Amino acid sequence: MSSGAEISEPIERLLQHPSLWRGRNLARAETFPSGFAALDAALPGGGWPRTGLVEVLVPRHGVGELSLWLPLIAARSTRPEGRWCAFIAPPHQLFAPAFAAAGVDLSRLLIVHARPALWPLEQALRSSACDLAFCWLERVRPKELRRLVLATEQGATPAIVFREAAARREASPATLRLSITPRPDGVRVQLLKSRGGSREPVDLRFPWLPA
Amino acid sequence: MKARQQYELLPDETLRAPRAGAGSGEPPRPPLALLHAAPLASTPRREWWAAVQFEPGITSVELERQARRAQDFTPRVSLAPPDAVLLELHGCLRLFGGSANLERILRGAFPAPWRLAFAPTPLAALVFTRSAQAVCIDETTQLAGALAPLPLAALRWPDDVVQRLAAVGVRTIGAVLRLPRAGFARRFGPGTLTTLDRLVGRQGDPHQGYVAPERYRRRCDPDVELTDQAAVLEVLSPLFDELEHFLRVRQRGITSLMLQLVHRHHAPTRHVLRLAAPALQARQLLRLLELQLSRTGLPAPVRRCELRSGPLVEAAWDSAGLWRPGEHGGGAAAAESPSFLEQLRARLGEGAVTGLALAADHRPERVSRPTPPQLGRAPRGDPSAPSLPWAAGRRPVWLLERPAPLGEQAAWPCRDGHRLRLLSGPERLETGWWDGEEIERDYYQAQDAGGARLWIFRDRRPPHRWFLHGYFS
């Protein structure tokens, strides 16, 4: 009775389940879908890591580094058991209409104004009260980054740290390290360090931006 | 009248009885037995009430504060909302040296403006203050006469009762007291008649006594001056254990706690902890206090520590979850989140931790506003949430605190010496004329030479400057 297509579709869906490990994947990492198919294909495990330190190197603020995470923030914040999405030491005001329009549950956002930002970030990571912790760091030593990596493992919260592109020359203990350059309708993402991800730059288009 | 005298003699006899017994060789009669033997229940208990009426706009918080002040004079204090406090003073006349003296003391005790009246029934005292009669009546027999000329409005009966009485020519309390009881009860209900009986003392008027809310308050004077935080915390730690026991036996929690430190050569410093959820555990509070002390430091050696809690609130002691929040099977972080927030607040200050909310306004400066973080989740489809008039991508992720002027080349916006490329627009925002913060702007999305997408606007009012207002990031 049933055709081949009807059977293969549920199987495909099952195979895409993040907790299912297939030999084809180089790294067995639990991931969240990033919301961009091209990026999922390039990232190890098919998405953003569920724990660990993600270092994002940006030439300057406002080049698309936060929009890149909007689909993930929306997905995590709208879960019924959603925890905080913490934004620590953001360089400018977060503008609520953009987040609301992206489908983010605003009641789950927590903005922490603090400099230096390392202490609140470590609290956010260790307390396991946050789903995601975004942090803008100015100067940070490798020793402090290693401390953050330990903290992410303890609280099962991924830390996304934005740093200046000049930090590219420094060694980093981050789980994932990527650099971002702006494009007219999106960003170009280059994975600098990953466990089994693609080295090719990925061009992403933000579908919500008007052409 | 005879019964009253018997009652009034009672305290003297109580005091005299054992001494008299010891002197004459009779077995001493314990005063308690005498008290029990007195026919208190059968005689109407004599009462003498003072009503203190404050300004009409007094808040309930302020009224309770005045009630606590009134408790300096007598343990029997009742609130008569919305604006008055009742004190039963018969029991403390002797202590204050008679009614005239007590009246003088009371007049000085409350902050003006107030009205004060004394009467044998609480309702009569209230009626006198409401009709601005500063009278002092000792005997129930004088009551009806003094009340007679007062208007009915002072009884604060429902409007329709007062109007119906006015329709038959009854406008004063004296007139209503002269009406036949049976007919009055039939027309206006037995409750209204009971009020009249209570007014003139034909019936008892029970009032619920005011009980001041409980707080935790302790002081400790250490033997030596404390010079560092660790020593202060060590001295405080038994107090916190006591506080935890205090809360546990009452099944209550606190949401605020103040520590005052008295220094040697410095004004006292205060440390206030405010908690997002009722706290029950002393260890948690002590940790928060440690964070706060480490932020502020000690300006001088500490001579004395005072701990004062805020009001006690209902709180449930519940058990810790098996799973850590966020773990597979673990629920929301309800149990963990408050302490996380409190830690941040204690260390960084109250204003450093905010949430984000939308306001129903089109002005970019106003539509997005910080709020206190919400612990509970707003219900889905909240009708109060403003609907979104913007499509996704029409508004930037970042907003500058205040618009930054852009460079210009031949009236064309520039950034870092390069002309901006306009991607979309204009979107005209013209609003706010009613509150003096009017904006008239044409918004564009633009791209700078580095490729970043910007939200810029041109002011439509002279001198028509270009401004950068946000990053699409």
Side-chain angles (χ1 to χ4, degrees):
Chain A
M1 285 291 280
S2 58
S3 67
E6 279 174 28
I7 299 170
S8 70
E9 191 194 344
I11 292 177
E12 276 304 311
R13 209 182 311 140
L14 276 177
L15 289 178
Q16 279 166 4
H17 196 273
S19 59
L20 197 68
W21 178 52
R22 301 172 76 190
R24 206 165 62 197
N25 295 348
L26 288 172
R28 185 188 173 201
E30 292 202 346
T31 55
F32 298 123
S34 72
F36 303 97
L39 188 59
D40 282 348
L43 285 168
W48 297 121
R50 274 179 190 241
T51 60
L53 183 69
V54 181
E55 217 182 330
V56 182
L57 304 182
V58 291
R60 64 195 292 178
H61 294 310
V63 293
E65 75 270 27
L66 197 51
S67 295
L68 181 64
W69 297 90
L70 276 180
L72 178 62
I73 299 170
R76 299 300 289 167
S77 69
T78 46
R79 294 179 313 147
E81 72 276 17
R83 296 177 286 164
W84 297 112
C85 286
F87 297 85
I88 297 158
H92 304 290
Q93 287 180 32
L94 268 70
F95 196 45
F99 286 87
V104 174
D105 182 351
L106 293 179
S107 70
R108 295 293 90 198
L109 302 188
L110 189 73
I111 300 157
V112 182
H113 304 282
R115 267 170 221 278
L118 279 171
W119 182 81
L121 176 59
E122 196 186 350
Q123 292 300 314
L125 297 176
R126 284 194 198 276
S127 71
S128 56
C130 300
D131 265 332
L132 299 165
F134 295 88
C135 186
W136 284 260
L137 290 174
E138 280 166 354
R139 275 182 299 279
V140 59
R141 286 173 301 192
K143 195 177 88 183
E144 292 162 343
L145 284 179
R146 272 197 297 280
R147 205 184 144 112
L148 290 180
V149 173
L150 287 177
T152 59
E153 284 162 9
Q154 191 181 346
T157 303
I160 296 105
V161 170
F162 299 99
R163 299 180 66 194
E164 294 185 359
R168 187 169 177 162
R169 288 188 298 275
E170 296 170 18
S172 164
T175 324
L176 181 67
R177 198 174 203 210
L178 45 103
S179 82
I180 282 181
T181 42
R183 281 167 42 79
D185 53 358
V187 288
R188 167 170 291 189
V189 178
Q190 164 98 53
L191 300 188
L192 301 174
K193 176 185 174 188
S194 64
R195 293 173 190 160
S198 158
R199 303 291 288 178
E200 293 294 310
V202 186
D203 287 341
L204 300 180
R205 196 187 161 273
F206 294 145
W208 54 85
L209 286 183
Chain B
M1 202 43 69
K2 201 179 171 192
R4 184 175 69 82
Q5 282 173 349
Q6 190 180 1
Y7 176 69
E8 282 201 333
L9 282 173
L10 192 67
D12 289 341
E13 282 203 12
T14 314
L15 292 171
R16 232 180 339 223
R19 256 182 287 141
S24 63
E26 287 174 18
R29 286 165 69 189
L32 208 61
L34 195 74
L35 271 173
H36 282 296
L40 277 184
S42 59
T43 56
R45 190 170 172 187
R46 175 123 196 244
E47 293 180 340
W48 194 53
W49 289 84
V52 190
Q53 191 186 19
F54 300 95
E55 295 175 274
I58 191 169
T59 60
S60 59
V61 178
E62 182 62 24
L63 194 65
E64 284 193 26
R65 182 179 307 160
Q66 299 304 340
R68 283 197 289 278
R69 188 181 296 231
Q71 284 179 332
D72 290 350
F73 300 99
T74 167
R76 292 183 65 193
V77 173
S78 302
L79 295 180
D83 56 0
V85 173
L86 289 166
L87 296 81
E88 203 287 309
L89 296 169
H90 190 258
C92 58
L93 275 177
R94 183 186 296 270
L95 177 67
F96 287 96
S99 59
N101 212 17
L102 181 55
E103 187 185 342
R104 194 172 47 75
I105 298 174
L106 273 181
R107 286 189 185 281
F110 294 99
W114 42 255
R115 293 178 191 161
L116 191 59
F118 299 85
T121 68
L123 189 56
L126 274 179
V127 165
F128 285 129
T129 58
R130 285 171 192 165
S131 39
Q133 303 279 315
V135 295
C136 179
I137 290 170
D138 294 327
E139 296 295 331
T140 319
T141 45
Q142 301 164 358
L143 202 53
L147 286 167
L150 300 183
L152 274 183
L155 284 170
R156 296 200 181 160
W157 273 342
D159 281 343
D160 66 312
V161 173
V162 177
Q163 278 164 14
R164 277 164 62 201
L165 283 168
V168 294
V170 176
R171 294 172 201 280
T172 62
I173 293 178
V176 81
L177 285 173
R178 279 195 297 274
L179 293 176
R181 292 174 60 84
F184 184 80
R186 206 165 49 239
R187 287 191 176 80
F188 298 99
T192 321
L193 185 63
T194 309
T195 315
L196 283 181
D197 286 347
R198 286 178 172 172
L199 177 68
V200 294
R202 277 195 288 251
Q203 202 173 57
D205 190 0
H207 275 259
Q208 193 166 21
Y210 171 72
V211 182
E214 216 177 1
R215 292 176 191 221
Y216 179 82
R217 208 165 171 178
R218 287 288 181 280
R219 196 165 82 183
C220 100
D221 296 287
D223 299 333
V224 291
E225 290 187 344
L226 310 171
T227 47
D228 64 338
Q229 284 170 34
V232 172
L233 292 171
E234 192 156 324
V235 164
L236 286 175
S237 106
L239 288 189
F240 276 87
D241 290 342
E242 197 189 303
L243 170 63
E244 178 164 336
H245 182 254
F246 176 90
L247 295 174
R248 186 189 294 274
V249 295
R250 287 165 180 76
Q251 293 281 304
R252 297 293 186 93
I254 51 172
T255 54
S256 67
L257 182 71
M258 194 195 72
L259 170 71
Q260 178 161 309
L261 300 175
V262 179
H263 302 282
R264 183 170 31 168
H265 297 304
H266 196 277
T269 48
R270 289 181 164 197
H271 302 271
V272 182
L273 288 180
R274 289 191 197 288
L275 308 167
L280 310 144
Q281 274 150 357
R283 208 158 35 88
Q284 180 198 357
L285 293 168
L286 197 59
R287 207 173 56 217
L288 291 175
L289 199 64
E290 189 179 348
L291 285 172
Q292 191 154 20
L293 279 175
S294 70
R295 175 163 64 100
T296 51
L298 296 177
V302 176
R303 285 188 151 166
R304 174 188 288 172
C305 312
E306 291 173 10
L307 208 55
R308 251 180 263 173
S309 79
L312 304 189
V313 296
E314 296 289 335
W317 289 72
D318 50 16
S319 45
L322 176 61
W323 306 102
R324 282 199 307 183
E327 237 174 18
H328 185 73
E336 200 69 29
S337 289
S339 73
F340 165 62
L341 279 185
E342 283 148 14
Q343 280 187 6
L344 291 182
R345 278 191 194 153
R347 169 92 175 241
L348 305 171
E350 290 279 316
V353 187
T354 61
L356 195 64
L358 278 175
D361 202 315
H362 279 279
R363 279 167 286 186
E365 287 89 346
R366 296 214 178 182
V367 65
S368 174
R369 59 185 168 82
T371 55
Q374 303 169 7
L375 274 186
R377 171 173 286 269
R380 291 253 135 223
D382 184 2
S384 70
S387 60
L388 298 173
W390 326 276
R394 293 282 299 280
R395 288 289 179 272
V397 175
W398 296 123
L399 191 76
L400 299 190
E401 197 104 356
R402 55 187 59 208
L406 285 167
E408 278 176 46
Q409 285 175 9
W412 193 269
C414 294
R415 194 177 189 217
D416 306 332
H418 296 279
R419 286 173 78 153
L420 297 178
R421 194 156 71 86
L422 299 185
L423 300 173
S424 71
E427 180 189 352
R428 181 160 294 181
L429 290 184
E430 229 181 72
T431 181
W433 51 266
W434 55 87
D435 60 7
E437 293 185 28
E438 183 176 8
I439 61 166
E440 289 177 49
R441 297 169 181 172
D442 282 341
Y443 276 90
Y444 296 85
Q445 292 191 20
Q447 196 174 27
D448 69 2
R453 192 180 268 250
L454 313 173
W455 204 39
I456 64 172
F457 70 85
R458 182 168 177 269
D459 201 344
R460 297 192 58 241
R461 289 175 296 193
H464 303 293
R465 292 287 309 270
W466 287 90
F467 292 88
L468 172 64
H469 207 183
Y471 295 104
F472 280 83
S473 183

